[in-house]
Amino acid sequence: MAAARLRLLSLGFLSPAVSWPRHSSRQGLRAMSTLSTTLGSGAGEDEIERIRREFEDAKRNYLSIPVAIKDMPKMNPQGIYVNKNVKLDDLQVYGFDYDYTLSHYSEHLQCLIYDLAKKHLVNELKYPESCLKYEYDRSFPIRGLYYDRLKGCLLKLDFFGSIEPDGCFFGRRKLNLSEIKELYGTRHIGRDQARQLVGLMDVFCFSEACLIADTVQQFVDAKLEFDASYVYEDVNQSIQHVHRSGLIHRKILSEPQKYLIKNSQVFRFLKMLREKDKKLFLLTNSPFYFVDGGMSYLLEDEHFDGNSWRELFDVVIAQANKPTFYNSDHPFRVYDTQKDTLAFTAVDKFLPNEVYYHGCLKSFLQITKWRGPEVIYFGDHLLSDLRGPSKAGWRTAAVIRELEDEIEIQNGENYRFQQAKLSIIHDLLGKVHATVVSTEKGQVYRALLDELNAERRQCRSAMRDLFNSSFGATFLTDTGRESSFAYHIHQYADIYTSKLENFLSYAPESWLHPPHDIKIMPHNAKVPASLFSGS
């Protein structure tokens, strides 16, 4: 562990930042000088002048962009987006996670988790009392970050596993590009480095990511030597304690109106499925008393034929220990809701009035006889909830609340204006890099390349500022490519949407299929440069 220990000023020796335009220019010049010896320069210099005029025309025509994009179709914030074909009529069984799937919480919950975990760090794990001064900062984290247990950095990665240039924080300080390269050698995370990374993929990780960064910053400010892996282990232990001890559950149930968000549309969706003779099951890691209290509150204004929300479900499984549930041999136990005890008899069938604990996928399929392709499971955690079902042959649906807000931003005039400018700049950059210029007369080439790169940085920055102030968009990088979080959605979710009730807008017989022209994420609309070719 000695090699992994970090000191306060471990980043202070780093060399000055190297700007992207200079780096790109040197690469371009090397390529151009190699080719110019065989292809000549006159035509290339004329082409550069032509591209320069095209760039000047584009800048004069920027004001026409809003008119050009006005009639472009917008993405539906409440839509269902498809990675793999799903025919709803073939689905006979619907399974649901509880937290952030059937239930949704106010912003107060992240503050509560953060505060309880922070106190556990100080009171039980003897962290400095100065850690108590920090408060949860909702503007800082996004979902899908990684923590490097070796170097102590919070990272945002792109679809291909490279560090986002503006997405690396040591504590609460953003590292510049030269510091990133000093630490990692390159922006790309290799296989060995990836083993040191911990993914923060669910909504509960907002408070965890913030607490990790604040704790690292506390050690930095106090000039204390520390081991980055210990910070993660202790913060994660504190977060787990908040959940496993029941502290968070009791607090939520004591003030449900403060933490839980009622939504009658969820009940409408579940009731519609029952009326269509679909089978429903609940599979959650939360304890039953917490789920029971939450569901009773969320549905207290609805009218049941009976007297319990459990009548909506054919099977109710609590404390399932996902993701272990999907690959273990743990037996199911019948849970006595009155006595708060577990029965010792073997479970060979599921009864509608019973509640079950633990279990495993193997036994679940043996008991129910439900075939994989006819089952769809809804969850918010891509790794804990959906990776196991995806590999088991179930259909999977991710419920991602942030999707709605990010689509609204992408539909906005400000974002599309910058995206259109960026498309034009990328088109011109492609032409510049494909042009042969002599070494002797490369000044015009370098000047144009620098201007285009400066314009590209301005567009990226303007688009990024519309999202999270620290890490930008959840699904996109600053370059406009999909993020690592988007990669996991693409890999483990057949379909994804912002909330369950969005399915009410689709007929139960609908056939959901990805658009034929989509490369990766179907909700990310691109503005092509060709749209402005007539300007």
Side-chain angles (χ1 to χ4, degrees), residues 370-385:
W370 292 335
R371 297 184 303 109
E374 67 181 4
V375 182
I376 186 169
Y377 186 69
F378 293 77
D380 72 291
H381 196 304
L382 300 174
L383 304 183
S384 178
D385 288 335

Side-chain angles (χ1 to χ4, degrees), residues 65-77 403-421 462-463 466-467 476 523 525-527:
I65 288 177
V67 177
I69 64 177
K70 183 177 180 180
D71 296 327
M72 283 190 64
K74 295 184 177 181
M75 308 308 291
N76 181 8
L403 179 66
E404 195 163 321
D405 289 338
E406 295 212 355
I407 291 179
E408 291 281 10
I409 292 173
Q410 291 180 46
N411 284 340
E413 290 185 5
N414 289 343
Y415 182 88
R416 289 197 163 195
F417 176 71
Q418 297 297 336
Q419 190 182 39
K421 287 173 60 179
M463 294 167 67
L466 295 171
F467 297 95
L476 293 171
H523 79 274
K526 305 293 192 297
V527 180

Side-chain angles (χ1 to χ4, degrees), residues 90-110:
D90 290 342
L91 300 176
Q92 302 304 317
V93 185
Y94 284 69
F96 302 91
D97 184 33
Y98 174 68
D99 293 299
Y100 286 106
T101 302
L102 288 174
S103 67
H104 287 284
Y105 300 93
S106 71
E107 294 175 353
H108 296 293
L109 181 59
Q110 297 296 336

Side-chain angles (χ1 to χ4, degrees), residues 283-284 317-322 325 328 330-334 342 356-361:
L283 179 66
T284 176
I317 302 168
Q319 290 205 330
N321 298 321
K322 296 176 294 181
F325 177 89
S328 74
H330 293 162
F332 283 102
R333 304 282 297 274
V334 177
L342 295 174
Y356 300 92
Y357 266 34
H358 311 319
C360 64
L361 177 63

